[in-house]
Amino acid sequence: MYINPKSNRTNPFRKVYDDTKFTAAGKNSLPSFPFLVDIELTNACNLQCIFCGQQAMQRKRGFMTEDCFKKIIDECAKHQTPIRLIRWGEPFLHKEISNFIKYIKDRGLLLHITNNGLALTTSHMEEMVKHEVDSLVFSFQGATKEEYELMRNNAMYDKLKNNILKMIKIRGDHKKPFIHISSTVTNEPKFQIDGFVNFWGNIVDSVDIGKTNLSRLNANQIKSLETLAKLDVLKKQETIKKVYCGCKEVYQKLSVDWDGQVTCCCGDYDNFLTVGSISNSTLKQIWDNSEELKLFRNLLDKKLHKSLTLCSTCYHTYDSF
């Protein structure tokens, strides 16, 4: 990770990510409640990236209701558990996101948002500064405009760039949000990666570059023949290290889909690792008692990841740089 030397900001989520109990999750006793809860406000997206689970997703598209959202936040507030608005849709497509941000922050919870930068409005930006959203990630792809537009399957690099610059301007001298750019690459040369980091690293607070996992989707899952053809070409350029490194996530957090289904993996785009539902349970009950969650933890502890469809192609993408 590259930290902007001119930035005087620290990501408030570092106190979670760097905590020894979090980093050693699975080695000690199970915590009484997840360290983090990820929320998918919607699985609808304004992009069709050629490597994304969106290309294969079968589950119904929808938007989280206010009742469902508040049930999650109210339970997390009892434990002061940080919230991340993240996963398999673009959160700023949800018409209630500004109210949801306020609801989270009014309860004193840390809040992170990951977005693709293309649904953001000026009003969204102002609301994030006003309510002191703690952390904001802009999700990129590649290290150049050409690679971004190929992988993201669009021609909107300039719009994304302008939105990031506008967000920086609106934040001004305010301490929050901490603004981060995250990208992954296939086989781009070092000078392109260095150029990307040098440019954005002096604008935002931090930049991360990893390797793109193009193996997550197999041919029979992809609905678009055009996407399949592009992906076949790109897979020949894939440079990710295909090594399974164990899974701490099943001991660190839970993820809630827009419809209240709960999964133990942030990468679960199609209910492969569902462990319960908040429609008939609580996060605490699922965390402690879900038989499915106990099974997944046991299999992953034994490194039987190949027995689970999603886990069989899960590799660490940020180990290379």
Side-chain angles (χ1 to χ4, degrees):
M1 180 184 295
Y2 177 86
I3 304 296
N4 184 346
K6 296 183 293 184
S7 174
N8 60 355
R9 298 172 178 86
T10 302
N11 187 351
F13 271 76
R14 292 284 11 138
K15 69 180 183 182
V16 181
Y17 302 146
D18 295 338
D19 189 298
T20 55
K21 292 180 181 178
F22 183 82
T23 58
K27 296 181 180 179
N28 303 315
S29 59
L30 186 70
S32 60
F33 198 74
F35 294 99
L36 298 166
V37 170
D38 289 352
I39 298 176
E40 177 189 83
L41 294 185
T42 179
N43 62 341
C45 191
N46 52 338
L47 293 179
Q48 281 293 315
C49 306
I50 60 178
F51 57 92
C52 179
Q54 287 278 347
Q55 296 288 351
M57 188 183 295
Q58 298 295 318
R59 60 190 171 101
K60 181 181 177 182
R61 311 280 173 155
F63 293 81
M64 183 171 283
T65 66
E66 182 179 353
D67 288 345
C68 180
F69 174 80
K70 287 184 174 180
K71 181 177 181 181
I72 299 165
I73 301 306
D74 290 346
E75 183 176 1
C76 289
K78 295 177 182 177
H79 302 272
Q80 283 298 290
T81 300
I83 300 295
R84 304 196 306 182
L85 303 182
I86 194 171
R87 299 192 65 242
W88 290 102
E90 171 49 51
F92 286 101
L93 292 179
H94 200 298
K95 64 181 181 180
E96 295 297 330
I97 188 168
S98 294
N99 292 330
F100 288 172
I101 287 172
K102 183 178 185 302
Y103 194 84
I104 293 169
K105 294 307 299 179
D106 282 351
R107 275 144 188 78
L109 301 181
L110 282 179
L111 172 59
H112 164 85
I113 305 174
T114 291
N115 82 118
N116 62 39
L118 297 173
L120 270 180
T121 65
T122 301
S123 177
H124 289 143
M125 298 178 191
E126 292 170 345
E127 289 291 319
M128 284 192 285
V129 174
K130 175 182 176 181
H131 296 296
E132 297 190 324
V133 168
D134 298 279
S135 170
L136 177 68
V137 163
F138 286 97
S139 179
F140 255 84
Q141 192 60 42
T144 64
K145 176 179 180 177
E146 293 74 20
E147 191 71 12
Y148 168 85
E149 293 188 345
L150 169 66
M151 299 296 282
R152 291 291 198 208
N153 208 14
N154 67 35
M156 293 187 280
Y157 177 91
D158 290 333
K159 179 178 179 179
L160 171 58
K161 178 181 177 180
N162 291 336
N163 273 352
I164 295 174
L165 296 176
K166 182 187 285 189
M167 182 70 226
I168 293 291
K169 182 176 181 180
I170 288 175
R171 183 185 65 175
D173 293 330
H174 294 274
K175 297 291 288 186
K176 297 179 180 180
F178 182 92
I179 298 175
H180 177 81
I181 282 177
S182 176
S183 189
T184 63
V185 298
T186 48
N187 65 344
E188 286 94 314
K190 185 177 184 298
F191 79 89
Q192 289 184 347
I193 295 168
D194 289 344
F196 180 89
V197 172
N198 290 337
F199 177 78
W200 286 111
N202 289 299
I203 295 173
V204 299
D205 299 308
S206 65
V207 177
D208 234 2
I209 300 281
K211 291 293 183 74
T212 307
N213 184 356
L214 297 172
S215 301
R216 188 179 297 276
L217 307 180
N218 58 52
N220 61 12
Q221 292 176 299
I222 298 173
K223 293 168 280 189
S224 165
L225 292 178
E226 181 182 357
T227 296
L228 183 59
K230 290 180 180 178
L231 200 56
D232 283 343
V233 173
L234 288 167
K235 280 186 176 181
K236 297 174 183 177
Q237 305 171 26
E238 187 178 38
T239 54
I240 192 172
K241 296 177 183 178
K242 296 183 179 180
V243 178
Y244 179 72
C245 300
C247 182
K248 297 179 182 179
E249 182 159 339
V250 289
Y251 292 101
Q252 292 173 329
K253 59 189 179 70
L254 289 175
S255 299
V256 189
D257 293 341
W258 70 268
D259 59 358
Q261 293 293 307
V262 180
T263 174
C264 59
C265 177
C266 64
D268 186 1
Y269 59 86
D270 232 0
N271 300 135
F272 294 107
L273 297 171
T274 299
V275 295
S277 172
I278 63 165
S279 64
N280 55 19
S281 191
T282 66
L283 293 173
K284 171 65 172 171
Q285 290 167 341
I286 293 169
W287 184 249
D288 289 339
N289 303 316
S290 168
E291 292 301 321
E292 293 86 355
L293 182 51
K294 291 177 183 178
L295 172 63
F296 296 147
R297 284 172 176 155
N298 185 47
L299 290 172
L300 292 168
D301 286 347
K302 294 177 179 178
K303 297 194 175 181
L304 297 175
H305 55 288
K306 291 183 179 179
S307 65
L308 299 169
T309 300
L310 192 69
C311 305
S312 64
T313 55
C314 181
Y315 313 111
H316 288 261
T317 59
Y318 285 87
D319 291 344
S320 301
F321 298 101

